[in-house]
PDB file of all heavy atoms in Angstrom:
ATOM      1  N   VAL H  92      77.351 139.571 161.829  1.00 94.00           N
ATOM      2  CA  VAL H  92      76.564 140.739 161.454  1.00 94.00           C
ATOM      3  C   VAL H  92      75.222 140.319 160.834  1.00 94.00           C
ATOM      4  O   VAL H  92      74.175 140.892 161.132  1.00 94.00           O
ATOM      5  CB  VAL H  92      77.357 141.639 160.481  1.00 94.00           C
ATOM      6  CG1 VAL H  92      76.487 142.765 159.920  1.00 94.00           C
ATOM      7  CG2 VAL H  92      78.591 142.199 161.168  1.00 94.00           C
ATOM      8  N   VAL H  93      75.269 139.303 159.969  1.00 95.00           N
ATOM      9  CA  VAL H  93      74.025 138.801 159.345  1.00 95.00           C
ATOM     10  C   VAL H  93      73.073 138.289 160.420  1.00 95.00           C
ATOM     11  O   VAL H  93      71.856 138.571 160.387  1.00 95.00           O
ATOM     12  CB  VAL H  93      74.351 137.705 158.314  1.00 95.00           C
ATOM     13  CG1 VAL H  93      73.070 137.030 157.846  1.00 95.00           C
ATOM     14  CG2 VAL H  93      75.104 138.297 157.141  1.00 95.00           C
ATOM     15  N   ALA H  94      73.584 137.519 161.380  1.00 94.00           N
ATOM     16  CA  ALA H  94      72.728 136.983 162.447  1.00 94.00           C
ATOM     17  C   ALA H  94      72.146 138.092 163.304  1.00 94.00           C
ATOM     18  O   ALA H  94      70.997 138.008 163.760  1.00 94.00           O
ATOM     19  CB  ALA H  94      73.537 136.014 163.308  1.00 94.00           C
ATOM     20  N   PHE H  95      72.922 139.151 163.513  1.00 93.00           N
ATOM     21  CA  PHE H  95      72.423 140.278 164.291  1.00 93.00           C
ATOM     22  C   PHE H  95      71.269 140.973 163.588  1.00 93.00           C
ATOM     23  O   PHE H  95      70.274 141.362 164.194  1.00 93.00           O
ATOM     24  CB  PHE H  95      73.582 141.252 164.542  1.00 93.00           C
ATOM     25  CG  PHE H  95      73.166 142.578 165.120  1.00 93.00           C
ATOM     26  CD1 PHE H  95      72.643 142.662 166.392  1.00 93.00           C
ATOM     27  CD2 PHE H  95      73.301 143.739 164.374  1.00 93.00           C
ATOM     28  CE1 PHE H  95      72.255 143.894 166.937  1.00 93.00           C
ATOM     29  CE2 PHE H  95      72.919 144.973 164.902  1.00 93.00           C
ATOM     30  CZ  PHE H  95      72.388 145.042 166.177  1.00 93.00           C
ATOM     31  N   ARG H  96      71.402 141.113 162.278  1.00 93.00           N
ATOM     32  CA  ARG H  96      70.379 141.822 161.525  1.00 93.00           C
ATOM     33  C   ARG H  96      69.177 140.945 161.214  1.00 93.00           C
ATOM     34  O   ARG H  96      68.030 141.410 161.213  1.00 93.00           O
ATOM     35  CB  ARG H  96      70.980 142.367 160.237  1.00 93.00           C
ATOM     36  CG  ARG H  96      72.015 143.462 160.500  1.00 93.00           C
ATOM     37  CD  ARG H  96      72.611 144.005 159.218  1.00 93.00           C
ATOM     38  NE  ARG H  96      73.539 145.116 159.524  1.00 93.00           N
ATOM     39  CZ  ARG H  96      74.284 145.726 158.602  1.00 93.00           C
ATOM     40  NH1 ARG H  96      74.203 145.348 157.328  1.00 93.00           N
ATOM     41  NH2 ARG H  96      75.085 146.720 158.956  1.00 93.00           N
ATOM     42  N   LYS H  97      69.420 139.672 160.936  1.00 94.00           N
ATOM     43  CA  LYS H  97      68.309 138.756 160.675  1.00 94.00           C
ATOM     44  C   LYS H  97      68.734 137.348 161.103  1.00 94.00           C
ATOM     45  O   LYS H  97      69.513 136.689 160.411  1.00 94.00           O
ATOM     46  CB  LYS H  97      67.925 138.772 159.199  1.00 94.00           C
ATOM     47  CG  LYS H  97      66.588 138.076 158.923  1.00 94.00           C
ATOM     48  CD  LYS H  97      65.969 138.509 157.626  1.00 94.00           C
ATOM     49  CE  LYS H  97      64.575 137.927 157.479  1.00 94.00           C
ATOM     50  NZ  LYS H  97      63.897 138.384 156.251  1.00 94.00           N
ATOM     51  N   TRP H  98      68.219 136.944 162.238  1.00 94.00           N
ATOM     52  CA  TRP H  98      68.669 135.696 162.853  1.00 94.00           C
ATOM     53  C   TRP H  98      68.526 134.483 161.920  1.00 94.00           C
ATOM     54  O   TRP H  98      69.408 133.641 161.844  1.00 94.00           O
ATOM     55  CB  TRP H  98      67.907 135.466 164.153  1.00 94.00           C
ATOM     56  CG  TRP H  98      68.210 134.164 164.812  1.00 94.00           C
ATOM     57  CD1 TRP H  98      67.386 133.117 164.966  1.00 94.00           C
ATOM     58  CD2 TRP H  98      69.472 133.763 165.357  1.00 94.00           C
ATOM     59  NE1 TRP H  98      68.023 132.079 165.598  1.00 94.00           N
ATOM     60  CE2 TRP H  98      69.312 132.445 165.858  1.00 94.00           C
ATOM     61  CE3 TRP H  98      70.721 134.372 165.499  1.00 94.00           C
ATOM     62  CZ2 TRP H  98      70.321 131.748 166.476  1.00 94.00           C
ATOM     63  CZ3 TRP H  98      71.747 133.675 166.106  1.00 94.00           C
ATOM     64  CH2 TRP H  98      71.565 132.381 166.577  1.00 94.00           C
ATOM     65  N   ALA H  99      67.427 134.402 161.213  1.00 94.00           N
ATOM     66  CA  ALA H  99      67.194 133.222 160.354  1.00 94.00           C
ATOM     67  C   ALA H  99      68.279 133.100 159.294  1.00 94.00           C
ATOM     68  O   ALA H  99      68.755 131.997 159.003  1.00 94.00           O
ATOM     69  CB  ALA H  99      65.816 133.320 159.697  1.00 94.00           C
ATOM     70  N   LEU H 100      68.677 134.232 158.722  1.00 94.00           N
ATOM     71  CA  LEU H 100      69.756 134.194 157.713  1.00 94.00           C
ATOM     72  C   LEU H 100      71.086 133.791 158.355  1.00 94.00           C
ATOM     73  O   LEU H 100      71.883 133.074 157.751  1.00 94.00           O
ATOM     74  CB  LEU H 100      69.891 135.544 157.020  1.00 94.00           C
ATOM     75  CG  LEU H 100      68.769 135.913 156.031  1.00 94.00           C
ATOM     76  CD1 LEU H 100      69.042 137.299 155.445  1.00 94.00           C
ATOM     77  CD2 LEU H 100      68.664 134.872 154.921  1.00 94.00           C
ATOM     78  N   GLY H 101      71.313 134.261 159.563  1.00 92.00           N
ATOM     79  CA  GLY H 101      72.535 133.876 160.264  1.00 92.00           C
ATOM     80  C   GLY H 101      72.601 132.391 160.523  1.00 92.00           C
ATOM     81  O   GLY H 101      73.631 131.753 160.345  1.00 92.00           O
ATOM     82  N   VAL H 102      71.458 131.837 160.978  1.00 94.00           N
ATOM     83  CA  VAL H 102      71.389 130.393 161.215  1.00 94.00           C
ATOM     84  C   VAL H 102      71.649 129.623 159.919  1.00 94.00           C
ATOM     85  O   VAL H 102      72.408 128.651 159.914  1.00 94.00           O
ATOM     86  CB  VAL H 102      70.011 130.019 161.799  1.00 94.00           C
ATOM     87  CG1 VAL H 102      69.856 128.495 161.836  1.00 94.00           C
ATOM     88  CG2 VAL H 102      69.833 130.606 163.194  1.00 94.00           C
ATOM     89  N   ALA H 103      71.032 130.101 158.833  1.00 94.00           N
ATOM     90  CA  ALA H 103      71.222 129.441 157.549  1.00 94.00           C
ATOM     91  C   ALA H 103      72.699 129.481 157.142  1.00 94.00           C
ATOM     92  O   ALA H 103      73.245 128.489 156.627  1.00 94.00           O
ATOM     93  CB  ALA H 103      70.361 130.093 156.476  1.00 94.00           C
ATOM     94  N   GLY H 104      73.345 130.626 157.372  1.00 91.00           N
ATOM     95  CA  GLY H 104      74.766 130.744 157.025  1.00 91.00           C
ATOM     96  C   GLY H 104      75.639 129.809 157.838  1.00 91.00           C
ATOM     97  O   GLY H 104      76.534 129.157 157.296  1.00 91.00           O
ATOM     98  N   VAL H 105      75.359 129.705 159.141  1.00 91.00           N
ATOM     99  CA  VAL H 105      76.134 128.808 160.009  1.00 91.00           C
ATOM    100  C   VAL H 105      75.927 127.354 159.582  1.00 91.00           C
ATOM    101  O   VAL H 105      76.882 126.563 159.516  1.00 91.00           O
ATOM    102  CB  VAL H 105      75.752 129.019 161.476  1.00 91.00           C
ATOM    103  CG1 VAL H 105      76.433 127.963 162.344  1.00 91.00           C
ATOM    104  CG2 VAL H 105      76.146 130.412 161.942  1.00 91.00           C
ATOM    105  N   LEU H 106      74.686 126.993 159.300  1.00 93.00           N
ATOM    106  CA  LEU H 106      74.401 125.624 158.875  1.00 93.00           C
ATOM    107  C   LEU H 106      75.057 125.307 157.545  1.00 93.00           C
ATOM    108  O   LEU H 106      75.529 124.183 157.324  1.00 93.00           O
ATOM    109  CB  LEU H 106      72.890 125.397 158.785  1.00 93.00           C
ATOM    110  CG  LEU H 106      72.121 125.453 160.119  1.00 93.00           C
ATOM    111  CD1 LEU H 106      70.629 125.258 159.885  1.00 93.00           C
ATOM    112  CD2 LEU H 106      72.644 124.382 161.084  1.00 93.00           C
ATOM    113  N   LEU H 107      75.089 126.291 156.653  1.00 92.00           N
ATOM    114  CA  LEU H 107      75.744 126.091 155.366  1.00 92.00           C
ATOM    115  C   LEU H 107      77.248 125.852 155.570  1.00 92.00           C
ATOM    116  O   LEU H 107      77.833 124.942 154.956  1.00 92.00           O
ATOM    117  CB  LEU H 107      75.518 127.294 154.469  1.00 92.00           C
ATOM    118  CG  LEU H 107      76.231 127.258 153.099  1.00 92.00           C
ATOM    119  CD1 LEU H 107      75.761 126.055 152.286  1.00 92.00           C
ATOM    120  CD2 LEU H 107      76.015 128.557 152.338  1.00 92.00           C
ATOM    121  N   MET H 108      77.871 126.649 156.421  1.00 89.00           N
ATOM    122  CA  MET H 108      79.293 126.456 156.698  1.00 89.00           C
ATOM    123  C   MET H 108      79.525 125.094 157.345  1.00 89.00           C
ATOM    124  O   MET H 108      80.502 124.404 157.036  1.00 89.00           O
ATOM    125  CB  MET H 108      79.805 127.570 157.599  1.00 89.00           C
ATOM    126  CG  MET H 108      79.881 128.932 156.937  1.00 89.00           C
ATOM    127  SD  MET H 108      80.954 128.905 155.458  1.00 89.00           S
ATOM    128  CE  MET H 108      82.517 128.432 156.201  1.00 89.00           C
ATOM    129  N   GLY H 109      78.600 124.708 158.257  1.00 90.00           N
ATOM    130  CA  GLY H 109      78.736 123.371 158.859  1.00 90.00           C
ATOM    131  C   GLY H 109      78.660 122.275 157.843  1.00 90.00           C
ATOM    132  O   GLY H 109      79.416 121.278 157.906  1.00 90.00           O
TER     133      GLY H 109
END
Side-chain angles (χ1 to χ4, degrees):
V92 173
V93 170
F95 170 66
R96 294 180 176 175
K97 193 159 187 177
W98 175 248
L100 288 179
V102 171
V105 173
L106 293 179
L107 176 61
M108 290 302 299

